[in-house]
Amino acid sequence: MRRTLAIGRTPRTGLSLASLVTGLALLLTAPAAHAADTPLRDLAAAKGKVIGTAVTGSKLTGTYGDLAGAQFGSLTPGNAMKWGTVEPTQGSFNWTEADQIVAFAQAHNQQVRGHTLVWHSQNPSWLTTGSWTSAQLSGLLQNHISTEVTRYKGKIAAWDVVNEPFNEDGTYRSTLWYNGLGSGYVASALTWAHAADPNAKLYINDYNVEGVNAKSTGLYNLVKSLKEQGVPIDGVGLQAHLILGQVPATLQQNIQRFADLGVDVAITELDVRMALPSDAVKLAQQAADYKSVVAACVAVTRCVNVTVWGFTDSDSWVPSTFPGYGAATPYDENYAPKPAYHAIAEALGGGTTTPPPTGACTATYSVTSQWNTGFTGQVRISCSGASLASWKASWTYGAGQRITQAWNATCTQSGAAVSCVNASYNGSVPDGGSVTFGFNASWSGSNPVPTVTLG
């Protein structure tokens, strides 16, 4: 089981041992939060695009908040603007988290993508269990849209007005809205949203519409019809909840055909899930998938936004929704950027991260004290002829040792494998300098030098 270990307690002392020195794998994470890299939002802006992320309002502090603010040019509330959240009781509104996200975005010069006004899911029970005439249902929907869009008028760049209206075969999904109001509910919702904020861009958003298929063709035909009727429709959202290695070959073609209708296109909920556990091969494929999606958007002028559905694995919906799958986002659970992060940067025109010369930065592992049930260890990371903006040190224990506590780093252990990522204040290792982190661990019987993994 993977654990995140505590940081900051004074290490236990005991019998001093001779240092056990071994090379550890130093994986250069180069998170974009450091000054040496160009933030994703700036790379995207240089291409005329916006890179965004879905966020949880309560988490917008510390490292999560720092990365969300520094890396992304737009924020999508993951749940905070859905009907069940904002109006859990009829006529009683809760805007707390939505307001928090909007305020954070304004403070960080970010756009907000409103999500979502009309959906078949996450609606309050008073709405879904009520007995409504068509006129009553229409009134409820218009009031909800008008109330929410008006509240954030001028603060929301784009709204996912209607979410997931189609079945896989391109027919309309049977929902409260379709069953009660017919297919015209889509045009009505767009019209009401436009009346509440004429400057907000209005989208229809759906999943499994990334490539050319029956469902995306249903969406295409709807958008074409709405345009012909003069209904205010500005864009389509392709969610892009993808499975490893399954980016549709027709993605760019599909983006272009929507653009040719005279609407913008956004990749609205991008993640790439894999069967767990992750490994280097899967992470490399995931990076290729992210790069392919972002590159397809970059290639089409009217593809204006790519939003990842959460930027860190610790805030991803995937594990709870798809048991056995995860690791779907560009950052790992400890906020270290994965190969997918660098792939996004490359697709947006950023350079690849150049590793330091072989041997220029090294890590040494030592046991500084030991007692009958445990020991204190230390790792020193030193550079000569290169520097690091961040670091990740990994090793594998060979005799059942278990880390119980760490300081000056965030360490995780899965089985015998240990991975430690720098704290926010000691990621930088200058040329000719060094940093250390320490840990306490348990042992029984023997405490051999860890097995070295390189890479």
Side-chain angles (χ1 to χ4, degrees):
M1 182 177 70
R2 170 166 280 193
R3 300 180 297 156
T4 299
L5 302 163
I7 298 173
R9 221 167 69 192
T10 303
R12 182 173 177 177
T13 58
L15 177 64
S16 178
L17 299 180
S19 292
L20 299 174
V21 180
T22 184
L24 301 177
L26 270 180
L27 305 179
L28 301 186
T29 58
H34 70 75
D37 281 348
T38 303
L40 295 180
R41 62 186 290 174
D42 294 342
L43 292 174
K47 292 288 187 180
K49 314 295 181 183
V50 177
I51 185 83
T53 182
V55 293
T56 302
S58 61
K59 296 183 179 181
L60 286 171
T61 60
T63 303
Y64 182 98
D66 290 344
L67 287 171
Q71 289 301 307
F72 301 99
S74 71
L75 302 181
T76 299
N79 292 296
M81 290 186 175
K82 293 172 181 174
W83 199 327
T85 301
V86 300
E87 194 181 1
T89 303
Q90 188 172 6
S92 178
F93 294 90
N94 178 7
W95 306 106
T96 303
E97 186 186 3
D99 285 353
Q100 179 185 17
I101 292 169
V102 170
F104 182 96
Q106 291 178 325
H108 292 82
N109 193 30
Q110 294 167 303
Q111 297 179 4
V112 177
R113 184 176 189 88
H115 180 81
T116 179
L117 296 172
V118 188
W119 193 24
H120 63 271
S121 186
Q122 289 185 244
N123 289 314
S125 59
W126 66 262
L127 176 64
T128 58
T129 60
S131 297
W132 315 107
T133 66
S134 292
Q136 288 172 327
L137 194 61
S138 178
L140 288 169
L141 183 58
Q142 181 176 5
N143 179 70
H144 171 73
I145 292 172
S146 299
T147 300
E148 186 158 3
V149 176
T150 299
R151 179 178 183 84
Y152 296 109
K153 182 178 181 179
K155 300 177 180 179
I156 301 289
W159 280 100
D160 292 327
V161 178
V162 178
N163 198 42
E164 301 174 1
F166 288 107
N167 294 313
E168 296 304 303
D169 63 359
T171 60
Y172 281 96
R173 183 193 292 266
S174 175
T175 68
L176 173 69
W177 311 115
Y178 179 75
N179 297 339
L181 302 175
S183 61
Y185 85 90
V186 176
S188 295
L190 290 162
T191 301
W192 294 328
H194 179 72
D197 187 352
N199 293 320
K201 300 292 186 180
L202 307 181
Y203 281 69
I204 301 172
N205 190 53
D206 216 325
Y207 65 93
N208 288 351
V209 292
E210 295 77 31
V212 177
N213 56 36
K215 190 174 188 179
S216 65
T217 298
L219 177 59
Y220 177 92
N221 291 335
L222 172 60
V223 173
K224 185 174 184 290
S225 174
L226 292 170
K227 291 285 288 184
E228 291 169 350
Q229 297 171 56
V231 174
I233 172 71
D234 299 296
V236 295
L238 315 180
Q239 290 186 12
H241 293 295
L242 302 176
I243 300 171
L244 190 72
Q246 296 185 23
V247 177
T250 53
L251 173 61
Q252 185 176 324
Q253 175 190 344
N254 194 42
I255 294 172
Q256 187 65 61
R257 72 165 176 161
F258 279 107
D260 290 343
L261 287 176
V263 296
D264 292 337
V265 180
I267 306 297
T268 54
E269 304 182 22
L270 175 61
D271 52 27
V272 182
R273 64 185 181 270
M274 65 183 70
L276 297 174
S278 66
D279 58 33
V281 173
K282 293 176 186 176
L283 290 172
Q285 179 63 57
Q286 182 185 58
D289 291 344
Y290 268 97
K291 186 174 183 178
S292 178
V293 173
V294 176
C297 183
V298 168
V300 179
T301 301
R302 292 204 70 156
C303 186
V304 296
N305 180 292
V306 176
T307 290
V308 294
W309 202 246
F311 63 89
T312 169
D313 290 342
S314 63
D315 192 42
S316 172
W317 73 304
V318 168
S320 62
T321 307
F322 301 97
Y325 284 79
T329 77
Y331 286 79
D332 71 15
E333 294 174 350
N334 298 312
Y335 304 112
K338 292 150 60 175
Y341 163 82
H342 301 294
I344 293 171
E346 288 179 42
L348 292 172
T352 57
T353 301
T354 302
T358 301
C361 293
T362 60
T364 56
Y365 176 106
S366 62
V367 174
T368 58
S369 62
Q370 185 170 299
W371 54 100
N372 58 347
T373 59
F375 66 96
T376 296
Q378 177 180 279
V379 173
R380 179 178 298 276
I381 298 169
S382 306
C383 289
S384 178
S387 63
L388 296 176
S390 61
W391 46 263
K392 181 177 181 181
S394 305
W395 64 92
T396 301
Y397 278 126
Q401 301 99 315
R402 298 290 304 181
I403 293 184
T404 57
Q405 175 190 7
W407 50 93
N408 299 332
T410 300
C411 294
T412 58
Q413 182 168 353
S414 179
V418 177
S419 177
C420 296
V421 179
N422 61 271
S424 61
Y425 49 81
N426 70 346
S428 178
V429 185
D431 187 0
S434 65
V435 298
T436 63
F437 67 92
F439 52 88
N440 286 335
S442 62
W443 69 292
S444 177
S446 64
N447 187 18
V449 173
T451 301
V452 178
T453 56
L454 301 174

